[in-house]
Amino acid sequence: MNFIFKSVFMAFHLLLALILCIAMIVLPKNITHLLIQHWAKRLLRILKIKMTLTGEVLRLLGKDSYLVVSNHISWLDIPVIFSLKPITFVSASDVKTWPIIGMLAKISGAIFVDRNRKSNLPDVIQAMNHHFLNEKQSICIFPEGITSNGYQVLPFKSSLFQSAFESDKLLLPLSIKYKENKVLTNRTSFHGSTTLLQSFKRVAKSNQIEVILHIGHPVKPSQSRKDLSLKLQEAIALKIN
């Protein structure tokens, strides 16, 4: 029964998102971001997902902008992070095709990357640099490129780290892990052939999910891209395990 209630509330919440998408076309960007942040917070409440923050939390929540580097497990990662603070995401291009969520991503100013086209990367990096120059907002990247099973961190791709060098931005490591009944879980993992609907059902059937975010110490982009990505990958993986 609890699953049914969650599904009904979620349906109304998605309908609200559709209405917001229409309204946000004419609203100022700062108001738009606040509305999406409120929507993300409400989503987590509907799914009864508890959040715990550790590490240098004020770095993420403060006024300074960073290139936030995070591992990637679930479609939930983005609303989890956005519920804390409006932030710009570099997302896979197929997210644009997702119903409603894709619209919210576009309205929030997400930068989309086609990971199957390396020729697309210079344009993405240029868009990131332009954002850092003109906006007082952090950018979050998921350098694994795909979602993991939640038990490990996959090798990082270093290409998007270039923006930190060109924009002279500190990198802020962010580790995400999900627990169920205080034990690391793959219930929220969205990978392989799992569909968005199947993933939602798995998440909605539990009331014991906790997402734990650890914010690490900022890192200056002084090494090579490859060395820098390996350093951050190891730092984030340490907090997962």
Side-chain angles (χ1 to χ4, degrees), residues 14-131:
L14 290 174
L15 178 60
L16 174 61
L18 185 59
I19 296 171
L20 286 176
C21 285
I22 297 172
M24 286 187 294
I25 294 174
V26 297
L27 291 175
K29 185 179 292 186
N30 61 327
I31 301 298
T32 294
H33 287 164
L34 289 175
L35 287 174
I36 297 175
Q37 183 182 15
H38 177 75
W39 187 89
K41 288 179 179 179
R42 181 62 180 162
L43 172 67
L44 300 181
R45 285 198 293 269
I46 289 173
L47 295 175
K48 297 186 182 300
I49 294 176
K50 177 185 175 183
M51 186 186 302
T52 299
L53 302 176
T54 64
E56 301 195 28
V57 178
L58 293 180
R59 293 279 190 177
L60 180 66
L61 301 183
K63 294 181 179 180
D64 293 336
S65 60
Y66 299 91
L67 179 59
V68 179
V69 179
S70 175
N71 62 310
H72 199 15
I73 300 170
S74 173
W75 55 271
L76 277 169
D77 297 345
I78 291 178
V80 162
I81 297 171
F82 208 102
S83 71
L84 295 172
K85 180 183 179 181
I87 192 169
T88 295
F89 290 90
V90 177
S91 302
S93 56
D94 60 346
V95 172
K96 289 190 290 186
T97 66
W98 290 5
I100 301 178
I101 293 178
M103 294 174 64
L104 286 173
K106 285 185 281 189
I107 290 172
S108 71
I111 300 169
F112 295 101
V113 56
D114 186 345
R115 299 190 184 278
N116 296 319
R117 289 178 53 220
K118 290 186 177 180
S119 60
N120 176 235
L121 286 172
D123 291 337
V124 173
I125 293 169
Q126 184 178 7
M128 293 169 67
N129 295 344
H130 182 268
H131 174 89

Side-chain angles (χ1 to χ4, degrees), residues 178-201:
Y178 294 90
K179 287 187 174 183
E180 185 176 16
N181 295 316
K182 299 183 179 180
V183 177
L184 203 63
T185 181
N186 67 351
R187 179 178 288 276
T188 60
S189 180
F190 181 51
H191 74 294
S193 59
T194 305
T195 66
L196 192 59
L197 181 58
Q198 289 171 337
S199 180
F200 166 74
K201 287 180 178 179

